[in-house]
């Protein structure tokens, strides 16, 4: 059988794989160069039907009256379309008009590209898509001199798109209105783990007009649960007990200055292990709907308890009143965690680099949660310098230092030391000089965090000790020599192997 020429021998598996990859890559390049690639010409998106969106009701403060809460100050108007590629071009026209209601309302223009006709009609050049919260052009209604709380007027809006399509909307503007304030304590401290705690729900109307119907949201984080349910509320969340209640009181009438409490009252169950939890509440007039950024579940199951009822109350009660869209209460259980710092001992030669790991552990029984409760403060040993520090991934393949530092003191967040029995250490690579001194680590309560008091703080500090060893230096130098010898031998062997391969290919 004749010997097959070398240039016609079967390709190895690796060679075949390389050729296949090259072929696929070449096809991909050709496809990319084709006009439109392989995309079906009929698959291009089409602009959706456009529409002008505005709130049904908007409230303004009466002349000389109380300012509206921050959440009520912005009138959100938007014109949306599927194709927003020309959003920045001033090719649309927005008209806002309160004519016929001049005794109640006026318009104040803002931004660029708008003209006003006596404060009654404002016309603005806007983009092919528009959002009054993002585009700096539009107008805000305000109460006309002589108007009083309860007066209403209509704000008519008209948007003309670049293609000539016209969309309209109407908003009823009310002078004054209800302002709901919630009362809740900022914190509940020292709650027994797993215990049920009662908390009053109180709402008052600090505005100028009566509330006709009210919505109420009570939501706990995953650590707290709602231990009592009511027939006129719907509940969601939680594996063993609900965490969110949405309640509706369509028949409630709350006059200006009047306060109500809801009975039988809220009962929450504290976490068994975690040392903290949080609860937030929100209330709104039904005709206005939930406030911006308040997430209200649209499903849920009704409770199996009695109906939650509103009762008038006199006096201030306890807790802080707030007109923010949500009121928060932090719950801290009497469930501390015993933390201990982790130090290190390192033996090194002058000029050598060594990795040192420092950190913390916790023996429980409390769990401060994923955020942790302490920062690690690492003081670099005297005579050493940091050549590599812990990093964290900010984005895909983008890293930044985890710790902030001033001189030889590094402050690092501890994020994984929370479950009882867990620990976390952080790696620092140090280069040691001719002399050495000790360093140390200590635990510092994180700013803004108030965990239950650690029952034993003596172990919140640990030493980082260094032993410089001249014999270790000689051994290291010898090791480096052997490494270079081995490396040189391997390089020579690689050269011989390459020469033999070349000769074999030449002689076939």
């Amino acid at each position: 059988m004749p010997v097959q020429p070398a240039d016609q021998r079967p390709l190895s598996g690796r060679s075949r794989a390389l050729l296949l990859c090259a072929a696929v890559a070449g096809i991909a390049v050709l496809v990319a160069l084709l006009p439109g690639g392989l995309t079906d010409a009929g698959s291009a998106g089409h602009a959706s039907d456009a529409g002008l969106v505005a709130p049904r009701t908007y409230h303004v403060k009466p002349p000389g009256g109380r300012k509206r809460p921050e959440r009520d100050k912005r009138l959100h108007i938007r014109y949306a379309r599927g194709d927003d590629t020309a959003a920045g071009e001033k090719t649309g026209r927005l008209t806002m008009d309160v004519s016929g209601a001049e005794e109640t309302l006026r318009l104040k223009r803002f931004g660029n590209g708008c003209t006003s006709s006596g404060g009654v009609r404002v016309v603005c050049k806007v983009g092919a898509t528009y959002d009054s919260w993002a585009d700096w052009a539009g107008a805000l209604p305000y109460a006309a001199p002589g108007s009083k709380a309860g007066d209403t007027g209509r704000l008519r809006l008209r948007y003309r798109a670049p293609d000539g399509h016209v969309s309209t909307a109407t908003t009823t503007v009310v002078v004054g209105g209800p302002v709901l304030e919630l009362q809740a304590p900022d914190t509940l401290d020292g709650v027994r783990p797993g215990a049920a705690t009662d908390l009053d729900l109180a709402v008052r109307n600090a505005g100028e007009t009566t509330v006709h119907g009210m919505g109420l949201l009570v939501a706990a984080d995953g650590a707290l649960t709602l231990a009592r349910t009511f027939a006129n509320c719907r509940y969601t969340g939680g594996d063993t007990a609900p965490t969110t209640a949405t309640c509706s009181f369509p028949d409630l009438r709350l006059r200006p200055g009047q306060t109500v409490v809801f009975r039988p009252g809220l009962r929450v169950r504290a976490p068994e292990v975690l040392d903290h939890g949080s609860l937030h509440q929100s209330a709104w007039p039904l005709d206005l709907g939930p406030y911006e950024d308040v997430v209200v579940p649209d499903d849920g199951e009704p409770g199996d308890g009695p109906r939650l009822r509103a009762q008038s109350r006199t006096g201030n009660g306890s807790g802080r009143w707030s007109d923010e869209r949500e009121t928060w209460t932090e719950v801290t259980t009497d469930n501390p965690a015993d933390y201990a710092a982790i130090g290190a001992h390192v033996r090194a030669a002058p000029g050598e680099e060594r990795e040192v790991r420092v950190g913390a552990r916790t023996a429980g029984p409390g769990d401060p949660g994923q955020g942790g409760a302490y920062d690690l403060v690492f003081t670099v040993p005297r005579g050493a310098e940091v050549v590599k520090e812990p990093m964290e991934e900010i984005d895909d393949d983008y890293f930044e230092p985890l710790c902030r530092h001033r001189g030889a003191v590094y402050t690092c967040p501890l994020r994984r030391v929370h479950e009882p029995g867990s620990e976390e250490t952080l790696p620092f690579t140090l280069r040691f000089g001719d002399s050495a001194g000790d360093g140390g680590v200590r635990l510092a309560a994180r700013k803004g965090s108030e965990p239950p008091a650690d029952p034993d703080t003596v172990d919140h500090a640990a030493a980082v000790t260094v032993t410089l060893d001249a014999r270790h230096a000689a051994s290291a130098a010898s090791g480096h020599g052997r490494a270079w010898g081995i490396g040189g031998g391997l390089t020579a062997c690689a050269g011989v192997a390459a020469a033999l391969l070349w000769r074999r290919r030449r002689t076939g």
Side-chain angles (χ1 to χ4, degrees), residues 5-389:
D7 57 353
Q8 297 180 11
R9 290 178 184 174
L11 294 173
S12 68
R14 181 177 180 184
S15 298
R16 287 196 299 271
L18 289 172
L19 286 174
L20 179 61
C21 291
V24 172
I27 293 172
V29 171
L30 288 174
V31 169
L33 293 175
L34 289 174
L38 297 179
T39 303
D40 183 0
S43 65
H46 297 280
S48 62
D49 292 338
L52 186 63
V53 179
R56 288 178 298 177
T57 308
Y58 181 70
H59 292 259
V60 296
K61 78 177 188 69
R66 170 183 174 168
K67 291 182 178 179
R68 302 299 300 173
E70 187 65 32
R71 63 191 181 191
D72 291 347
K73 285 183 179 179
R74 302 189 71 179
L75 177 64
H76 196 186
I77 303 168
R78 57 191 185 276
Y79 179 83
R81 60 186 298 165
D83 181 8
D84 59 357
T85 55
E89 300 177 12
K90 301 291 186 179
T91 53
R93 183 178 295 270
L94 176 69
T95 302
M96 305 177 70
D97 191 350
V98 293
S99 59
E102 295 94 335
E103 294 183 358
T104 302
L105 302 176
R106 294 284 194 278
L107 292 174
K108 182 178 181 180
R109 66 178 181 179
F110 64 87
N112 301 314
C114 297
T115 59
S116 176
S117 301
V120 175
R121 188 170 183 267
V122 172
V123 179
C124 301
K125 294 180 180 179
V126 296
T129 62
Y130 174 75
D131 188 316
S132 63
W133 287 17
D135 297 277
W136 189 238
L140 284 176
Y142 66 94
S147 61
K148 60 184 184 299
D151 289 347
T152 63
R154 288 189 175 184
L155 169 63
R156 294 184 298 278
L157 301 115
R158 183 179 185 272
Y159 180 88
R160 186 180 186 277
D163 60 4
H165 175 77
V166 173
S167 183
T168 61
T170 301
T171 296
T172 299
V173 181
V174 183
V175 177
V179 176
L180 294 183
E181 296 181 336
L182 294 105
Q183 186 178 47
D186 290 330
T187 58
L188 290 176
D189 296 322
V191 179
R192 183 168 55 86
T197 301
D198 290 331
L199 182 68
D200 280 341
L201 293 174
V203 180
R204 74 180 179 189
N205 183 2
E208 302 86 8
T209 62
T210 298
V211 173
H212 296 274
M214 181 189 300
L216 181 68
L217 172 74
V218 178
D221 63 17
L224 292 174
T225 56
L226 304 179
R228 175 187 285 161
T229 64
F230 303 100
N232 55 334
C233 301
R234 302 187 70 84
Y235 294 86
T236 58
D239 295 329
T240 59
T243 57
T244 301
T246 307
C247 310
S248 181
F249 306 91
D251 299 325
L252 176 63
R253 301 294 180 264
L254 191 61
R255 298 184 304 276
Q258 187 178 9
T259 299
V260 293
V261 292
F262 295 92
R263 300 297 186 198
L266 180 66
R267 178 171 294 171
V268 296
R269 189 169 301 281
E272 296 281 353
V273 178
L274 200 65
D275 66 10
H276 68 278
S278 63
L279 181 78
H280 69 275
Q281 308 169 49
S282 183
W284 59 88
L286 286 181
D287 66 328
L288 295 179
Y291 297 106
E292 196 77 22
D293 299 330
V294 174
V295 179
V296 179
D298 55 5
D299 57 357
E301 296 295 328
D304 57 6
R307 292 182 64 83
L308 186 62
R309 300 183 182 278
Q311 298 178 354
S312 295
R313 190 191 75 183
T314 58
N316 292 325
S318 60
R320 179 179 61 91
W321 289 101
S322 172
D323 65 4
E324 297 295 324
R325 64 178 182 268
E326 292 177 302
T327 300
W328 289 82
T329 298
E330 298 296 326
V331 179
T332 304
T333 63
D334 185 17
N335 200 21
D338 184 10
Y339 274 79
I342 298 175
H345 175 73
V346 58
R347 182 183 296 273
E352 187 179 13
E353 294 181 5
R354 296 292 299 274
E355 182 181 270
V356 176
R357 300 189 73 95
V358 293
R361 65 173 61 91
T362 175
D367 181 346
Q370 294 288 345
Y374 290 94
D375 289 332
L376 178 74
V377 181
F378 171 44
T379 301
V380 179
R382 179 175 53 82
E385 63 174 325
V386 175
V387 295
K388 186 178 180 181
E389 63 182 286

Side-chain angles (χ1 to χ4, degrees), residues 461-485:
V464 178
T465 57
V466 179
T467 300
L468 285 181
D469 191 341
R471 289 175 300 175
H472 184 68
S475 175
S478 175
H480 286 312
R482 286 195 299 271
W484 278 106

